[in-house]
Amino acid sequence: MNQQLANFLLKGGRLIDPAASRDGLFDVCVRNGKIDAIGENLTSSGFTVIDVKDQIVTPGLIDVHLHLMKGLGAFGVDPDIFGVGSGVTTVVDAGSAGHTLLNVFRDYVTNNAKTRVLNYINLSTLGGVSGPGYSILADPRLIDEAKIEQAVEANRDIIVGIKIMATGGALGAQGLKPLERARKLGDELNIPLLVHIGESWTKDSAPVHVGDVLKYLRAGDIVTHMFTVHPGGLLDGNGKLWPQVRDAKESGVLMDVGHGLHNLNFDVARKVLDQGLHPDGVSTDGHRGNRAGPVYDLPTTMAKLMALGFTLKQVIEMATANAARLLGRSNELGTLRIGAAADISVLKLEDREWKAVDSQKGTIPAHRTITPVYAIRGETIYEPLPAERP
Ligand SMILES: [Zn+2]
């Protein structure tokens, strides 16, 4: 049951807030839906005490890549399922809407959600209307710079970047021209590009080489599906990182997991990680088709990264401070701030043996699970929705 509470005290939890260099037993006091105090052994008479002993308290988790236009095609999912229903307070749609649908997205999705919903506008006017297997950038008329600029300027509060499908299937005969146009748009509007790599949907098309894609990216742009096993990924035929990938990372291009139905492969992940390339962001690429597995939710995806060798603190940093930076929202998201509206996740970390499953049904042994306990926004405390988590 969700609860409405103006004044409450989260008591006894382990607070991990990497942006504030905090990791320890700290209570969090919320007054009128705003963070009033963070400290050891806080007491507040008259405040409802929420016992979070043996639980993890973090700044509200951020899932930076999902498909949230509920009802759209096979994928669009209600944002509150992967959002507050999964212990996550901010979710970001990756390109469901092109410029023509942006107002619909805003009115129908963002304004109706209990979760904060941000948006990457699709470079293609078609966005996700046709599904991912179509050549949505192959006709040059499907990119309308003037209309995209208008849509971005009118919706800066929710738009965090431009989504581009950098696959042979999506680009078709246009080749890399859409990337060139996206680059110009990103520069003019001063927003990052979010680029999908990996030929997971259109296997009959010649894949685009990741080195060619990276030529168009700058510091702050994001590559999603970094652990994809499909053609067009970060590794060459010998399992080595393409040299352009290292160069891009060093120049400040960010890397996101984007688990999804197709794009988290543990063998690829091990090879990429062994060569020293780490993710900046962790995301589910959540949609209607992967909620019941292999993705489930962001906490489960974080637990899979722990099974790959990351610490709890590292995966929390990815889903809070790093995610906020990736979205260009470090000034408002990703850390607990006194005086700001409460935006908090509470998680349970348990020692339990389980098998983490990737997008190709590969498994690795995992020793810890992360499950959501609460997502808190202002005066509302949301309990997670049921899910068949592993
Ligand atoms: Zn996606």
Side-chain angles (χ1 to χ4, degrees), residues 352-365:
R352 179 161 67 77
E353 299 302 317
W354 60 291
K355 271 198 174 77
V357 181
D358 71 11
S359 303
Q360 280 71 41
K361 299 195 165 61
T363 61
I364 53 173

Side-chain angles (χ1 to χ4, degrees), residues 65 67 94 163 225 285:
H65 177 167
H67 298 276
K163 165 78 183 287
H225 307 318
D285 192 3

